Amino acid sequence: MNLTNLTKIALKALNNNKMRCFLTMLGIIIGVASVITMLAIGQGSKRSIRAQIAEMGSNMIMIHPGNMERGGVRQDASSMQTLKLNDYQDILDGTEYVSACSPSVSSSGQFIYGANNYPSTIYGVTEDYLEIRKFSIDEGSMFTPQDVLTSAKVCLVGQTIIDNLFPNGENPIGKVIRFNKIPLKIVGTLTPKGYNSMGMDQDDMVLAPYTTVQKRVLAITYLQGIFCSALTEELTPQAINEITQILRKNHKIKEGEDDDFEIRSQEEMSSMMSSTTDMMTILLACIAGISLLVGGIGIMNIMYVSVTERTREIGLRMSIGARGIDILAQFLIEAVLISVTGGIIGVLLGVGASMVVNLVFNWPVYIQAYSVILSFFVCTITGIFFGWYPARKAANLDPIEAIRYE
Amino acid sequence: MATKEIIRLENIRRNFIVGNETVHALRGVSFTINAGEFVTIMGTSGSGKSTLLNILGCLDTPTSGEYYLDGIPVRSMGKNERSVLRNRKIGFVFQSYNLLPKTTALENVELPLMYNSAISARERHELASRALDAVGLAERKNHKSNQMSGGQQQRVAIARALVNDPVIILADEATGNLDTRTSFEILVLFQELHDRGRTIIFVTHNPELSAYSSRNIVLRDGKIISDTPNDHPASALEMLKKLPVESD
Ligand SMILES: Nc1ncnc2c1ncn2[C@@H]1O[C@H](COP(=O)(O)OP(=O)(O)O)[C@@H](O)[C@H]1O
Ligand SMILES: [Mg+2]
């Protein structure tokens, strides 16, 4: 068997029937283009969600007092006082997988500067908070450990606060703003981060030493939450494990009893998000795959028609020396050429459509090399699979009868 | 010229089972054909001519009896082996030309060589071109088959049968679809090929044509009823000259 010659023969046959060829390809083209586009959209949204989560600190761990029943009455988490400063200290000292840790207490209220006021939230934290939340200082500097020790009346402000309290473009550094009648001196500003994936304005906040918020604002001694960073996103479960051990020991929780705290991590959230988008992607890919199947059936249909139509040609080829396998190969090559050419056009169309979706609807898209390779692979398989029966039918024709066929 | 035996049939029988009846298409046919013979095979419709030709052309196998083509026993061969044998040793000419549509004369003639991987593309062109020269179509090599007259199409088919330099050319009613004049033109071509040493078996139901071959075999009901050599074949060319030129 000479594959070059058989390919030439197949090409010639396809060339003689360009229009039909193209129409047969159309099914494959649409199938592949939709596979590529759907996967691009699916992967694009997955990536953009992941990127946003990473921006918020993908290794972040949040500890809050958990729901707890006291005499059958459920307690509101914010009123619970189970997290103490020593919990924070022990996490800081007793863990291997935690790279940064900050207590968290917060209070909402009106911030006032001169004639301007704006409602926002003040977060009482330590310097580690910047690393945990992936914040950075735009101008000025972070408050110091000394400020934390002395409950200094200092703060950092986000862009939204600046925009509202200093609408005339004054430099906020060194200015004193008031919260609950407490004067706070601005020592630094936070680099703007914009809105997160949940639609929250990440610049609408004021950071101060937690001691300041605890003593001067809230007058409490417990913590509302603790924020930590695992060494890496992958080490989050280990870090959570360590923290759980420490807190259960500190809170004297017996084996078998429920935690009185709740640990949430970004890793958990991101894997939840991923699994949702993965489901979406699989669903989209299935729909697209079905259209590819329909395209394949189209090929089979046309190949059957073609074999019947060309019965005499097949008889002639056999009588001048084509073996069954030569005929089989010719028709298989025809089917594969149709499906692979359709695949190539489909990939180009799919990439184009993805770009259009990106430009027109502003949806994030991402074309993975594997989806292109997979499409080609599936196309070839489709061609062979759906071309096989018609080709075998052709190869099994009796030359004597075939050549007399009217 | 030393005569070489090309075909040897020994008591060939071919039965077809149709429903619960058996049709005896060939009932014990034996003969030998030597290189350089021009044999016409005649007989009424249904006498078994095509069945015999299919067996000679290795498209079909006899129910019993032995067939040697160029010394090779064909009966024991598998399907693929017979395909290769057809490709290398046999040239077919059919009643209805069987050219590929939308395909040039040259490409049609190249076709048998496409299934022979020992022959390069260049050789293929060369051989096909020469075969077309031999049938008088030097000027029409790149014409599409559907742009040609019946006579020209049959010439292309003959060139296709010649291109692999076969040991024998088998023609089944090769002039059956052509008018008298064109039939004689084709017959002239066969005689030319014969003069150049080709071995030809020409099946026809037209008894007039036996005058132009070197041997005539007549079949009836699957048996040979006469096998007569013709030492002085008539010239088809002479006959062609005598035919009135159609003017319409
Ligand atoms: N494939 C077949 N199946 C059944 N009967 C056949 C088949 N081929 C030929 N025959 C029978 O064999 C006989 C000879 O046929 P054929 O060789 O075609 O005759 P011819 O070519 O001389 O007209 C006929 O009676 C025909 O009906
Ligand atoms: Mg016949």
Side-chain angles (χ1 to χ4, degrees):
Chain A
M1 186 167 51
N2 186 331
L3 222 59
T4 328
N5 285 353
L6 288 174
T7 309
K8 272 185 201 160
I9 289 168
L11 273 174
K12 176 86 194 153
L14 293 179
N15 196 41
N16 281 349
N17 245 320
K18 287 194 204 75
M19 192 60 192
R20 174 192 286 184
C21 221
F22 172 73
L23 289 174
T24 314
M25 259 181 224
L26 214 54
I28 296 290
I29 293 174
I30 293 169
V32 170
S34 49
V35 168
I36 298 279
T37 315
M38 298 291 179
L39 286 178
I41 293 171
Q43 285 302 317
S45 56
K46 181 175 169 177
R47 292 197 147 226
S48 98
I49 288 171
R50 281 197 73 90
Q52 281 174 345
I53 287 173
E55 215 172 278
M56 281 158 57
S58 59
N59 43 359
M60 183 166 81
I61 297 167
M62 292 159 282
I63 306 155
H64 290 286
N67 282 334
M68 203 173 65
E69 285 179 29
R70 275 217 188 110
V73 181
R74 280 211 159 212
Q75 305 287 305
D76 177 17
S78 62
S79 70
M80 281 190 282
Q81 307 182 2
T82 50
L83 285 181
K84 303 283 195 222
L85 203 58
N86 73 310
D87 290 331
Y88 159 67
Q89 287 294 350
D90 291 346
I91 290 170
L92 207 56
D93 301 338
T95 53
E96 261 178 71
Y97 296 108
V98 173
S99 62
C101 191
S102 164
S104 160
V105 283
S106 65
S107 176
S108 295
Q110 218 68 12
F111 288 86
I112 302 161
Y113 178 73
N116 299 312
N117 70 89
Y118 185 72
S120 188
T121 307
I122 187 165
Y123 292 92
V125 294
T126 63
E127 321 83 78
D128 273 3
Y129 194 70
L130 289 186
E131 187 198 322
I132 296 165
R133 293 293 307 270
K134 302 280 182 283
F135 285 132
S136 59
I137 303 288
D138 191 18
E139 276 177 64
S141 60
M142 187 62 186
F143 50 76
T144 61
Q146 185 64 26
D147 291 334
V148 176
L149 276 177
T150 59
S151 313
K153 289 180 260 182
V154 292
C155 72
L156 284 94
V157 289
Q159 190 60 45
T160 306
I161 308 292
I162 299 170
D163 292 343
N164 284 286
L165 294 186
F166 304 95
N168 302 327
E170 289 169 78
N171 184 2
I173 305 284
K175 300 281 168 4
V176 176
I177 58 173
R178 288 178 174 278
F179 180 75
N180 274 3
K181 300 195 180 99
I182 302 153
L184 296 164
K185 187 175 142 196
I186 298 174
V187 293
T189 63
L190 297 168
T191 308
K193 284 189 94 172
Y195 288 82
N196 71 9
S197 54
M198 264 72 81
M200 266 157 34
D201 182 1
Q202 298 179 93
D203 301 324
D204 185 6
M205 58 164 56
V206 174
L207 299 184
Y210 75 94
T211 46
T212 310
V213 177
Q214 256 188 333
K215 288 176 196 161
R216 298 185 194 277
V217 179
L218 296 168
I220 56 172
T221 54
Y222 61 89
L223 301 175
Q224 290 169 340
I226 300 172
F227 281 71
C228 298
S229 268
L231 282 174
T232 64
E233 185 183 342
E234 291 69 37
L235 290 173
T236 306
Q238 283 91 321
I240 290 177
N241 201 26
E242 284 181 330
I243 295 166
T244 309
Q245 301 296 323
I246 289 168
L247 293 183
R248 284 181 73 93
K249 190 166 146 262
N250 283 3
H251 298 182
K252 302 190 172 61
I253 296 167
K254 295 194 196 81
E255 196 115 1
E257 278 181 4
D258 286 344
D259 296 342
D260 62 352
F261 52 88
E262 199 174 36
I263 303 181
R264 300 253 220 89
S265 67
Q266 289 287 59
E267 188 253 2
E268 167 192 359
M269 205 147 91
S270 85
S271 61
M272 195 184 75
M273 288 283 195
S274 300
S275 70
T276 318
T277 48
D278 278 348
M279 269 266 286
M280 276 260 294
T281 308
I282 290 169
L283 215 71
L284 293 175
C286 279
I287 293 166
I290 288 168
S291 64
L292 204 59
L293 185 77
V294 172
I297 293 170
I299 290 187
M300 180 144 85
N301 187 19
I302 287 299
M303 292 307 289
Y304 264 122
V305 171
S306 177
V307 167
T308 308
E309 228 180 46
R310 285 154 67 190
T311 300
R312 277 175 74 110
E313 177 198 320
I314 295 163
L316 169 80
R317 287 181 186 280
M318 285 177 157
S319 66
I320 60 171
R323 293 165 300 165
I325 189 151
D326 295 322
I327 301 293
L328 184 89
Q330 178 192 332
F331 279 89
L332 270 188
I333 291 170
E334 281 184 31
V336 170
L337 279 176
I338 288 179
S339 60
V340 168
T341 311
I344 292 171
I345 298 173
V347 165
L348 295 178
L349 212 69
V351 170
S354 305
M355 285 171 171
V356 168
V357 162
N358 183 239
L359 287 176
V360 176
F361 301 106
N362 216 8
W363 289 358
V365 298
Y366 181 76
I367 295 159
Q368 281 172 307
Y370 101 84
S371 69
V372 173
I373 294 163
L374 187 79
S375 294
F376 274 118
F377 185 70
V378 169
C379 277
T380 315
I381 297 291
T382 304
I384 293 174
F385 185 80
F386 289 103
W388 178 263
Y389 286 96
R392 210 185 55 170
K393 185 189 168 197
N396 287 342
L397 285 175
D398 175 29
I400 300 167
E401 276 167 29
I403 205 151
R404 282 207 208 117
Y405 184 85
E406 295 298 333
Chain B
M1 189 168 75
T3 50
K4 185 182 173 241
E5 186 181 283
I6 292 206
I7 281 173
R8 176 178 202 87
L9 291 185
E10 291 173 354
N11 200 21
I12 292 291
R13 288 172 189 277
R14 181 67 170 100
N15 301 337
F16 293 105
I17 315 263
V18 182
N20 35 20
E21 269 181 65
T22 306
V23 180
H24 301 276
L26 295 175
R27 309 162 183 250
V29 173
S30 307
F31 58 76
T32 59
I33 290 174
N34 293 329
E37 283 194 88
F38 182 178
V39 182
T40 41
I41 295 179
M42 303 201 169
T44 53
S45 182
S47 56
K49 307 182 298 290
S50 294
T51 306
L52 179 60
L53 204 73
N54 288 338
I55 288 174
L56 291 172
C58 305
L59 285 168
D60 196 6
T61 41
T63 310
S64 69
E66 286 300 332
Y67 169 31
Y68 299 92
L69 173 64
D70 211 14
I72 306 161
V74 177
R75 212 169 81 88
S76 56
M77 280 188 159
K79 244 176 126 182
N80 286 344
E81 286 175 288
R82 281 190 281 127
S83 293
V84 175
L85 200 64
R86 284 200 293 277
N87 188 249
R88 306 297 145 84
K89 294 203 181 282
I90 290 166
F92 275 107
V93 181
F94 303 94
Q95 180 174 357
S96 48
Y97 332 129
N98 281 311
L99 300 183
L100 297 185
K102 301 186 199 170
T103 306
T104 64
L106 196 67
E107 285 172 314
N108 264 294
V109 175
E110 280 182 15
L111 204 59
L113 305 180
M114 294 288 268
Y115 294 101
N116 183 350
S117 46
I119 289 175
S120 70
R122 165 115 56 71
E123 276 177 283
R124 201 165 64 219
H125 270 57
E126 180 69 34
L127 289 170
S129 187
R130 251 190 269 155
L132 280 167
D133 291 343
V135 298
L137 286 179
E139 307 299 315
R140 294 200 157 74
K141 284 170 190 166
N142 291 314
H143 286 215
K144 296 267 169 77
S145 55
N146 35 329
Q147 299 165 338
M148 293 190 198
S149 70
Q152 286 167 345
Q153 289 192 48
Q154 195 60 301
R155 280 171 192 271
V156 175
I158 293 168
R160 185 179 63 195
L162 284 173
V163 76
N164 58 345
D165 192 24
V167 295
I168 191 153
I169 295 171
L170 302 174
D172 193 355
E173 308 275 11
T175 56
N177 279 7
L178 302 171
D179 60 59
T180 315
R181 200 182 163 76
T182 320
S183 294
F184 271 96
E185 282 170 5
I186 295 296
L187 208 56
V188 169
L189 177 56
F190 273 109
Q191 281 195 333
E192 277 173 20
L193 295 173
H194 176 229
D195 290 343
R196 277 186 251 148
R198 292 282 172 195
T199 314
I200 299 162
I201 297 179
F202 191 101
V203 164
T204 176
H205 65 271
N206 182 355
E208 286 172 37
L209 299 186
S210 64
Y212 302 93
S213 66
S214 68
R215 179 179 169 188
N216 186 36
I217 294 173
V218 182
L219 285 183
R220 185 192 289 159
D221 295 333
K223 282 192 198 131
I224 294 177
I225 55 163
S226 81
D227 183 350
T228 43
N230 180 2
D231 293 332
H232 303 287
S235 163
L237 192 61
E238 299 280 297
M239 186 62 197
L240 182 64
K241 282 176 185 160
K242 278 185 233 157
L243 281 176
V245 179
E246 279 156 65
S247 48
D248 44 11

